[in-house]
Amino acid sequence: MQNEIVPAAAEGMPMTRRAMLGALPAAAASVALPVEAAAAKETPMEKVNRLGWELAEALNDYADGRMHAMIFPSDKRKYAVGFVFTDLGTPYGEELATIRDLIDQHRETFTRWNEVCHLADECDERFDPAMVPVVEALDDLEEELTNALIAAPATSYEALTLKAAHLAALDARHGVSYEQASKFLQTLRNPTVRL
């Protein structure tokens, strides 16, 4: 079967200078100039930043946003891309903020207790019976905050390290009981904690 000859759409229409000049901007826009192409080329830093942000956006939808990527230069590692659980409990930033807040409250309470504890000591010459309930309330609050810190979820390395450093500092001042230290150690055996 032979191909049919079909006239082109503009065939038979007269081509005027005005029509040609009107078509020039469209033709010029469709031609890529070498200078513009060179200027549009990404630098390695721009490419890494663009791809990094694209990956960050994609990770929001991957594994419910609970993972982050570790990426190395491909010529430095056999397996250059890896994905790691960020946390398995509360959102990553929220977990750290809760632990920092508990530590700040605990330090403030402990500082206030140190400032007034001698006033509730009957052996001290500055003893003030009115301060006994104040110091007891600070004692109770300090223990409550220590227990809250121990119970606070720490599913990321950063949260666990922050919590452990504060509790170790307390223990150095004999501020953690054996029971509290045991409860903290049990959180290290928690299967949801990933280091």
Side-chain angles (χ1 to χ4, degrees), residues 87 89-102 152-153 156 159:
D87 73 318
T90 60
Y92 184 60
E94 185 180 311
E95 180 180 85
L96 282 174
T98 299
I99 290 172
R100 282 191 181 112
D101 186 47
L102 286 169
S156 68

Side-chain angles (χ1 to χ4, degrees), residues 58-71:
L59 284 171
N60 290 332
D61 301 323
Y62 179 68
D64 296 324
R66 294 168 51 197
M67 296 188 88
H68 64 271
M70 294 180 64
I71 302 172

Side-chain angles (χ1 to χ4, degrees), residues 22-160:
L24 276 178
S30 67
V31 175
L33 300 175
V35 175
E36 289 179 38
K41 188 175 179 184
E42 282 182 311
T43 65
M45 184 178 73
E46 291 168 336
K47 186 175 182 179
V48 166
N49 284 329
R50 179 181 56 79
L51 292 173
W53 282 107
E54 287 178 19
L55 179 59
E57 288 295 321
L59 284 171
N60 290 332
D61 301 323
Y62 179 68
D64 296 324
R66 294 168 51 197
M67 296 188 88
H68 64 271
M70 294 180 64
I71 302 172
F72 300 93
S74 60
D75 62 346
K76 304 287 185 209
R77 304 261 182 175
K78 183 176 180 181
Y79 301 103
V81 179
F83 296 93
V84 181
F85 277 101
T86 299
D87 73 318
L88 294 170
T90 60
Y92 184 60
E94 185 180 311
E95 180 180 85
L96 282 174
T98 299
I99 290 172
R100 282 191 181 112
D101 186 47
L102 286 169
I103 289 172
D104 290 344
Q105 289 177 42
H106 186 269
R107 283 184 179 146
E108 183 181 317
T109 303
F110 198 74
T111 301
R112 282 190 292 157
W113 180 86
N114 274 331
E115 291 169 353
V116 297
C117 68
H118 61 278
L119 298 174
D121 183 359
E122 293 178 0
C123 297
D124 194 299
E125 61 186 33
R126 297 168 289 180
F127 174 69
D128 180 357
M131 291 303 291
V132 171
V134 172
V135 172
E136 287 175 353
L138 287 171
D139 273 338
D140 293 343
L141 180 57
E142 189 273 333
E143 185 174 356
E144 180 184 315
L145 288 168
T146 300
N147 290 332
L149 181 60
I150 288 168
T155 56
S156 68
Y157 176 76
E158 291 84 357
L160 193 59

